[in-house]
């Protein structure tokens, strides 16, 4: 398999982050874990054992699945290799030893498992029998897999190993790993699984790293050292590209360079249609250092600051003080433009491993975002206080993610009032008129938008989740990506309902999901009456370019026609046609 490819071979997946790159492939390998010893209270021992058992079950499922895939694409003898892993996984001696360590020493299961497994590995490595020595390697592999599940690390690999530019190829990349990628060394990445609006994809766009996901078996088929070209516009990875292919891509790069020049011209122009309708165009950010890109791309402030990346890839929670400094600095740098800070949206596909939360069957439907925050008032209050304090030093607004009904909004607002009272008592300044909004990203919220609008100053439509929850199509799963349709009539109606409810109640409505950064959909969203679009800084020029060529009256006509249609593909085709007619240059450089 890997390393045997000679001629050109193209793999087709889902394009998630624009750009073309070429270079050496690095297939991501799992790393050794650093496993810390944690002492447990007596009543935490039983849940810890359940956590261990759950990790074993998950590991078994994963191995069986790999075995099935390998048997389908390679020979059954290669698939048999995994039988050894399954046998070891069921080895009672090893399991009993782990349970004994957890129960007697009252320590965490990862530490207990690591300790027991390492003991066996050492014994196996030192016996004078080649067959048994090979089993040591199997056990090491298995240990990493079990620890991955215990530590909820899906794609651990050692980022520090990167010392030359490469295209990363792996089964999956978690948002937390993606957030750590160094653009200096990562030219682009390609994964077997994933969806266009997963947070991994969103980060790739925000970091401006070309990426293709949903390539199914690419991580099994390529080997480190292969040479590839990755096209993040069309979702293609070409291994061993021929001279002809490279020449064609060279021609496309020239067209792209001339488009870039045109895009730079609009960078600091207003986002206004030919017939005078102004759209507020702002940026989505994930970290303080994204501010430079916001300024460079001429965004009118930040429409969505995803604060969860402050909480992941670290050993402990950020303090109120640390958060305050980050929010303050972002707000100060973008003053007088506003910065909408979205309160913590952990859960779903974003986890803070140090919180050691139990694994859920349906994390996107589970303990996520505002639900998690309301159940952790101390953690939530620290963030609310930090946001309030920072609001004294810039134009800050705040919004809550994943609100499903009025109760959650009322509870969150009550906590804000409490925090305000405390700050007043402590003589700490804050903006008493800090505007609070809600994200509309659950169908129930769109359906009761009229009631929510009476309690907030703005709506921001989180289309990534709104589409996933309305169409019951996991945003991270390539197998259902064909069902994940932004132009589905149900989505358009929910957006229209939300915008109308906002306007009836005298507030504004924006969109901050990924559709807000798609020039093909921009006219439709304007026509539906959306007041603000917030997207990754790197796509804002394209958005502005098309908005400045659109007539609002035509956009409204497009939206009206779309609202009459029952066919997502027909609506999409109309959007494509209108966008191509209006701004043909935007489409010339795509392969
Ligand atoms: C959304 O759901 O559209 C959104 C902007 O929030 P996130 O992508 O962070 O879930
Ligand atoms: Mg969301």
């Amino acid at each position: 398999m890997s390393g045997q490819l000679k001629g050109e071979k193209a793999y087709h997946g889902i394009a998630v982050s624009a750009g073309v790159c070429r270079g050496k492939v690095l297939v991501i390998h799992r790393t050794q874990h650093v496993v810390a010893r944690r002492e447990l209270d007596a009543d935490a021992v039983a849940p810890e054992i359940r956590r261990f058992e759950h990790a074993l079950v998950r590991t078994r499922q994963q191995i069986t699945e790999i075995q099935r895939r390998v048997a389908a694409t390679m020979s059954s003898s290669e698939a048999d290799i995994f039988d050894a892993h399954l046998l070891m996984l069921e080895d009672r001696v090893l399991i009993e030893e782990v349970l004994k360590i957890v129960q007697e020493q009252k320590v965490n299961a990862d530490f207990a498992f690591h300790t027991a497994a390492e003991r066996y590995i050492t014994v196996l490595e030192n016996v004078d029998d080649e067959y048994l020595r090979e089993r040591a390697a199997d056990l090491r592999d298995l240990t990493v897999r079990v620890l991955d599940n215990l530590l909820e690390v899906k794609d651990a690999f050692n980022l520090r190993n990167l010392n030359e530019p490469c295209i990363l190829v792996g089964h999956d990349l978690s948002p937390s790993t993606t957030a750590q990628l160094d653009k200096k060394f990562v030219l682009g990445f390609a994964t077997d699984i994933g969806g266009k609006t997963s947070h991994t994809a969103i980060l790739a766009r925000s970091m401006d790293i070309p990426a293709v996901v949903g390539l199914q078996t690419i991580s099994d088929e390529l080997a480190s050292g292969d040479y590839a070209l990755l096209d993040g516009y069309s979702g293609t990875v070409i291994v061993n590209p021929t001279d002809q292919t490279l020449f064609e891509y060279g021609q496309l790069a020239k067209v792209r360079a001339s488009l870039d020049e045109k895009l730079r011209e609009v960078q600091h122009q207003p986002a206004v249609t030919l017939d005078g309708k102004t759209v507020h165009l702002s940026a989505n950010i994930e970290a303080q250092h994204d501010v430079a890109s916001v300024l460079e791309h001429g965004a009118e402030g930040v429409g969505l600051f995803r604060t969860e990346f402050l909480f992941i890839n670290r050993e402990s929670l950020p303090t109120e003080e640390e958060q305050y400094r980050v929010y303050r600095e972002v707000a100060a740098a973008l003053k007088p433009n506003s910065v909408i800070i979205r309160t913590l949206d952990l859960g779903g596909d974003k986890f803070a491993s140090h919180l050691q939360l139990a694994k859920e069957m349906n994390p996107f439907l589970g303990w996520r975002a505002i639900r998690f925050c309301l159940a952790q008032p101390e953690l939530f209050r620290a963030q609310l206080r930090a946001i309030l304090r920072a609001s004294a030093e810039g134009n800050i607004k705040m919004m809550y993610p994943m609100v499903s009904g009025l109760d959650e909004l009322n509870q969150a607002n009550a906590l804000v009032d409490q925090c305000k009272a405390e700050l007043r008592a402590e003589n700490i300044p804050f903006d008493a008129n800090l505007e609070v909004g809600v994200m509309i990203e659950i169908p129930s919220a769109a359906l009761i938008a009229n009631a929510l609008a009476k309690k907030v100053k703005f709506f921001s439509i989180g289309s990534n989740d709104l589409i996933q929850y309305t169409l019951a199509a996991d945003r991270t799963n390539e197998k259902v990506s064909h069902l994940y349709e932004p132009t589905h009539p149900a989505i358009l109606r929910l957006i229209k309902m939300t915008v109308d409810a906002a306007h009836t109640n005298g507030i504004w409505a924006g969109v901050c999901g990924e559709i807000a950064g798609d020039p093909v959909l921009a006219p439709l969203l304007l026509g539906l009456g959306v007041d603000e679009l917030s997207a990754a800084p790197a796509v804002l020029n394209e958005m502005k370019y098309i908005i400045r060529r659109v007539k609002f009256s035509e956009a409204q006509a497009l939206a009206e026609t779309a609202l009459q249609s029952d066919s997502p593909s027909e609506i999409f085709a109309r959007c494509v046609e209108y966008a191509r007619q209006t701004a043909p240059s935007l489409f010339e450089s795509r392969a």
Side-chain angles (χ1 to χ4, degrees):
M1 293 268 80
S2 47
Q4 290 174 10
L5 292 163
K6 295 239 162 38
E8 173 174 298
K9 180 162 182 194
Y11 297 83
H12 302 284
I14 303 170
V16 297
S17 183
V20 175
C21 62
R22 53 199 169 102
K24 257 203 226 167
V25 163
L26 177 74
V27 179
I28 297 165
H29 294 292
R30 287 153 187 270
T31 188
Q32 301 260 339
H33 292 282
V34 179
V35 184
R37 183 179 199 276
R38 217 163 18 88
E39 296 203 349
L40 304 174
D41 292 337
D43 55 0
V45 168
E48 189 65 3
I49 287 174
R50 279 200 297 279
R51 200 168 71 83
F52 174 56
E53 286 166 349
H54 191 77
L56 293 182
V57 172
R58 282 206 26 96
T59 309
R60 166 168 256 292
Q61 286 164 348
Q62 288 160 352
I63 296 175
T64 317
E65 171 60 18
I66 296 169
Q67 201 169 31
R68 193 189 58 72
R69 268 196 289 131
V70 170
T73 55
M74 304 187 208
S75 69
S76 65
S77 64
E78 280 168 286
D80 290 347
I81 295 171
F82 293 98
D83 282 340
H85 290 209
L86 289 171
L87 279 175
M88 285 173 176
L89 194 62
E90 277 157 19
D91 185 321
R92 285 317 299 176
V93 182
L94 176 62
I95 294 173
E96 294 301 335
E97 187 166 337
V98 176
L99 298 182
K100 196 166 153 219
I101 298 174
V102 174
Q103 280 159 339
E104 289 182 0
Q105 299 181 27
K106 294 196 179 51
V107 287
N108 49 322
D110 15 315
F111 174 78
F113 180 75
H114 187 244
T115 309
E118 279 299 320
R119 200 174 296 156
Y120 280 94
I121 289 168
T122 313
V123 172
L124 287 171
E125 277 174 345
N126 289 303
V127 287
D128 192 14
D129 178 319
E130 201 183 331
Y131 174 81
L132 286 177
R133 279 202 304 275
E134 278 170 14
R135 299 291 74 75
D138 285 337
L139 185 52
R140 198 171 283 291
D141 217 13
L142 182 71
T143 306
V144 171
R145 229 175 251 291
V146 174
L147 288 173
D148 275 358
N149 284 317
L150 274 168
L151 298 166
E152 296 186 4
V153 181
K154 283 200 201 122
D155 49 32
F157 75 105
N158 199 340
L159 286 162
R160 279 165 303 178
N161 282 346
L162 300 183
N163 50 17
E164 61 171 344
C166 64
I167 296 177
L168 287 183
V169 174
H171 179 64
D172 187 19
L173 270 189
S174 70
S176 55
T177 302
T178 311
Q180 295 179 68
L181 298 181
D182 182 345
K183 252 192 94 168
K184 246 194 348 258
F185 294 125
V186 180
L187 302 168
F189 68 80
T191 59
D192 295 340
I193 64 169
K196 197 168 179 134
T197 60
S198 69
H199 285 95
T200 297
I202 289 170
L203 280 167
R205 284 192 285 280
S206 154
M207 297 161 89
D208 214 2
I209 296 179
V212 182
V213 304
L215 288 151
Q216 307 201 12
T217 50
I218 196 160
S219 73
D220 288 332
E221 297 197 33
L222 302 198
S224 294
D226 283 345
Y227 186 79
L229 181 148
L230 182 148
D231 176 354
Y233 293 108
S234 67
T236 312
V237 176
I238 302 172
V239 190
N240 299 330
T242 60
D243 288 348
Q244 176 62 22
T245 302
L246 292 175
F247 172 77
E248 283 165 16
Y249 270 93
Q251 296 301 102
L252 285 172
K254 284 187 195 149
V255 181
R256 181 77 211 170
S258 93
L259 171 63
D260 282 345
E261 231 166 80
K262 289 185 194 148
L263 293 178
R264 265 193 297 277
E265 282 164 22
V266 297
Q267 192 144 299
H268 296 288
Q269 306 283 331
V272 53
T273 64
L274 288 175
D275 48 354
K277 169 83 180 167
T278 301
V279 187
H280 194 90
L281 204 53
S282 43
N284 291 353
I285 63 169
E286 280 78 39
Q288 187 179 345
H289 58 72
D290 293 334
V291 165
S293 184
V294 176
L295 293 168
E296 185 196 325
H297 290 91
E300 297 170 79
V302 165
L304 166 64
F305 182 175
R306 289 186 167 95
T307 54
E308 38 290 351
F309 293 93
L310 273 170
F311 288 69
I312 56 188
N313 290 327
R314 50 186 294 152
E315 299 285 310
S316 57
L317 290 170
T319 61
E320 173 187 323
E321 188 61 26
E322 183 183 342
Q323 292 186 65
Y324 159 65
R325 278 198 224 116
V326 172
Y327 305 150
R328 181 188 66 186
E329 266 155 50
V330 171
L334 297 174
K335 221 155 86 175
N337 285 326
S338 58
V339 173
I340 303 181
I341 301 184
R342 196 248 318 258
T343 59
L344 188 61
D345 183 10
L346 278 183
D349 59 350
K350 287 170 294 190
F351 304 100
S353 49
H354 59 88
L355 288 175
Q356 298 274 343
L357 301 175
K359 219 165 176 71
E360 296 177 291
M361 289 292 279
N362 290 305
F364 275 113
L365 298 182
W367 215 33
R368 184 188 163 191
I370 194 79
R371 304 163 176 193
F372 172 77
C373 286
L374 290 173
Q376 307 276 322
E378 280 319 301
L379 176 152
F380 196 22
R381 277 158 39 83
Q383 181 173 46
L384 296 175
R385 280 178 58 104
I387 294 172
L388 282 165
R389 286 171 58 194
S391 71
E393 302 180 49
N395 183 357
I396 287 184
K397 303 181 201 299
M398 173 171 79
M399 64 183 177
Y400 308 125
M402 230 190 141
V403 166
S404 64
L406 270 174
D407 273 359
E408 285 162 332
L409 176 60
N410 291 337
Q411 281 175 52
N413 279 341
L415 273 178
V416 173
D417 287 343
Q418 254 182 41
C419 293
K420 284 183 176 173
E422 279 169 22
L423 292 173
R424 259 187 220 108
E426 293 164 35
N427 268 328
I428 298 177
F430 64 90
D431 173 8
N433 299 315
L434 172 93
E435 292 190 1
V436 175
V438 277
M439 290 190 71
I440 304 292
E441 49 183 355
I442 300 185
S444 61
L447 292 167
I448 58 153
N450 199 39
L452 293 169
K454 296 187 168 50
K455 304 260 179 172
V456 292
K457 292 281 194 254
F458 63 92
F459 285 157
S460 188
I461 299 171
S463 53
N464 304 337
D465 280 314
L466 188 63
I467 298 170
Q468 130 164 297
Y469 294 133
T470 306
L471 303 178
D474 181 343
R475 60 194 270 192
T476 67
N477 186 340
E478 73 289 352
K479 295 193 183 73
V480 291
S481 63
H482 62 290
L483 296 172
Y484 190 96
E485 292 179 298
T487 51
H488 193 292
I491 303 300
L492 302 194
R493 283 170 208 174
L494 290 173
I495 294 178
K496 177 85 170 88
M497 197 179 263
T498 304
V499 171
D500 287 350
H503 293 169
T504 307
N505 288 282
I507 65 169
W508 59 266
V511 177
C512 63
E514 295 306 293
I515 59 171
D518 184 345
V520 167
L521 300 177
L524 178 63
L525 295 177
L526 296 195
L528 288 169
V530 167
D531 305 291
E532 179 238 26
L533 294 171
S534 190
V539 301
L540 292 180
N541 289 347
E542 291 197 0
M543 294 300 288
K544 204 178 279 182
Y545 185 84
I546 192 160
I547 289 168
R548 291 174 61 81
R549 274 161 185 75
V550 163
K551 273 203 180 133
F552 184 52
S553 55
E554 288 173 0
Q556 283 179 306
L558 176 71
E560 253 165 55
T561 318
L563 286 168
Q564 309 290 317
S565 173
D566 291 327
S567 159
S569 54
E570 185 189 302
I571 300 171
F572 186 67
R574 278 180 188 278
C575 291
V576 171
E577 191 190 347
Y578 184 68
R580 281 184 178 267
Q581 251 172 37
T582 316
S585 313
L586 285 184
F587 304 92
E588 281 161 5
S589 61
R590 320 246 158 137

